Amino acid sequence: DKATTKMTGKGVTIAMLDTGFSASLDTLGELSGRVRPPLNATVPTAVPTTVPVGALNPAQSLQGAQDFWEGHGTQVAILAAGSKNGIATDAEILPIKVCKEGENGRASCSSKDVLRGLCLALNQVPAKQLVMNLSLGGSMPTSAIHAVLNWASKQGAVIVAAGGNQGLNGNPKEYPAAFAEGTPSQVALPLIAVASVSPAGNKAGN
């Protein structure tokens, strides 16, 4: 038998671009001591034009970065790096709120806020030590987001994006995950597009 080595994510930061983060929702303390100050990219003034790696702009704070919508961002962070229920159990989490509360309390993630979040992540963490997780998506490709992801991947960042929650509607393409295939005017990106099914084999759907 060959010995296997578990990749724990030590030295890596996962930028969780999602609905925010609330420590109170991490009821088992799975991320204790490994969460950087959550940032809010839905507030334009919170995103600096130039910030040294590792530095925080005074305008960036916990204010407004709390999670909502059933704690989606916190749950995804635990799945990624939780000590009991996660994968990369030594990785740090950088929560970046890119989704606001929309109709019926559901998340609304605009392209401009996602773009701010991506730039903010790249300002805070060297690309070679960064995983950018986007558990979100839309039906239309955005050139600016493609350009940032393309640059980030060339600098060594790992990009993970959700394939979508449209399993009951024919599985239409969702971006940025569909950038893995490229478009007529955009090169394919080496990102990881993630899909999910239930134990019974049912696809994720709305």
Side-chain angles (χ1 to χ4, degrees):
D1 292 341
K2 293 183 178 180
T4 58
T5 301
K6 180 181 179 182
M7 304 293 285
T8 66
K10 188 173 181 62
V12 172
T13 296
I14 304 173
M16 197 61 58
L17 289 87
D18 213 290
T19 59
F21 180 83
S22 294
S24 61
L25 299 178
D26 180 12
T27 56
L28 299 178
E30 294 194 55
L31 298 171
S32 179
R34 293 187 290 119
V35 180
R36 294 191 178 201
L39 304 176
N40 187 355
T42 68
V43 182
T45 56
V47 183
T49 53
T50 57
V51 174
V53 169
L56 291 178
N57 186 299
Q60 298 161 356
S61 69
L62 286 168
Q63 183 176 2
Q66 290 82 9
D67 208 345
F68 68 97
W69 192 40
E70 301 177 349
H72 187 273
T74 305
Q75 292 176 25
V76 175
I78 291 171
L79 287 173
S83 59
K84 296 179 178 64
N85 296 293
I87 302 300
T89 54
D90 288 328
E92 289 191 338
I93 294 290
L94 172 60
I96 303 178
K97 186 173 185 175
V98 297
C99 303
K100 301 177 182 177
E101 189 169 355
E103 295 181 3
N104 301 318
R106 294 176 67 83
S108 175
C109 318
S110 72
S111 294
K112 64 181 181 181
D113 290 341
V114 172
L115 183 61
R116 288 193 194 104
L118 292 171
C119 293
L120 186 54
L122 289 164
N123 268 321
Q124 298 300 314
V125 182
K128 291 183 179 180
Q129 300 171 19
L130 180 65
V131 173
M132 296 193 289
N133 186 86
L134 300 108
S135 291
L136 50 83
S139 60
M140 297 297 294
T142 302
S143 296
I145 290 177
H146 179 277
V148 171
L149 293 178
N150 188 28
W151 182 89
S153 65
K154 289 181 178 179
Q155 304 307 308
V158 174
I159 302 157
V160 182
N165 288 325
Q166 300 287 333
L168 301 180
N169 298 313
N171 282 328
K173 291 183 178 180
E174 294 226 348
Y175 296 89
F179 283 139
E181 298 179 349
T183 72
S185 60
Q186 296 163 323
V187 298
L189 299 181
L191 58 78
I192 301 170
V194 180
S196 65
V197 294
S198 72
N202 297 319
K203 300 175 182 178
N206 286 334

